[in-house]
Amino acid sequence: VDLVLEFLRRRALGQYDVDEFGFDRELTDDVLLAALRPLYRYWFRVEVRGVENIPATGGALVVSNHSGTIAIDSLMVPLAIHDEHPQRRVMRALGADLVFQTPFLGTVARRSGSTLARPRPTSPPSSA
């Protein structure tokens, strides 16, 4: 209870860090991934193979394909990499415009490390 109250106090006072993309490691580790863990372990019973192929440091590209209305794999893969990789790597997912335009979901996606799948145009093309 004390840890939860301390977490909420720091949130209310703005005493937490986010990176330049909006990623909030404490919120992701302590709240978002913790909330998904029961689904990961007991509902979907995720089995992970090949996590050792993700390097310990530096960049890596993890590519997957999903179908259906709710992309549950987009929640389970980052959790698998975080929990199963020896260095507990954080996966920075790419999301479509719709994700970031949706109230609440866009904020949660940013805080969990996701970013827009395409760069925003810096300026409109000039007409000649």
Side-chain angles (χ1 to χ4, degrees):
V1 173
D2 289 338
L3 291 175
V4 172
L5 292 175
E6 177 60 20
F7 176 86
L8 293 174
R9 184 191 70 75
R10 281 186 278 111
R11 294 279 146 179
L13 296 174
Q15 297 173 340
Y16 58 94
D17 297 319
V18 296
D19 73 8
E20 66 271 18
F21 300 104
F23 175 59
D24 182 335
R25 184 168 201 121
E26 180 185 36
L27 178 71
T28 300
D29 288 351
D30 297 344
V31 177
L32 303 176
L33 294 181
L36 290 173
R37 220 164 257 119
L39 289 172
Y40 176 86
R41 289 185 181 148
Y42 306 113
W43 184 264
F44 295 111
R45 290 177 255 155
V46 175
E47 294 179 17
V48 179
R49 288 183 221 118
V51 74
E52 68 279 358
N53 295 313
I54 298 171
T57 61
L61 185 61
V62 176
V63 180
S64 65
N65 184 27
H66 61 252
S67 62
T69 306
I70 301 172
I72 296 297
D73 60 312
S74 68
L75 301 174
M76 296 297 113
V77 170
L79 181 56
I81 291 171
H82 180 273
D83 285 6
E84 308 294 339
H85 194 277
Q87 277 70 40
R88 298 179 62 84
R89 301 272 326 246
V90 173
M91 187 181 117
R92 307 294 291 258
L94 298 177
D97 290 343
L98 177 63
V99 171
F100 298 100
Q101 294 169 354
T102 305
F104 183 72
L105 178 60
T107 301
V108 171
R110 283 257 184 247
R111 294 286 189 246
S112 69
S114 295
T115 192
L116 195 58
R118 64 168 177 79
R120 294 188 189 269
T122 54
S123 62
S126 61
S127 58

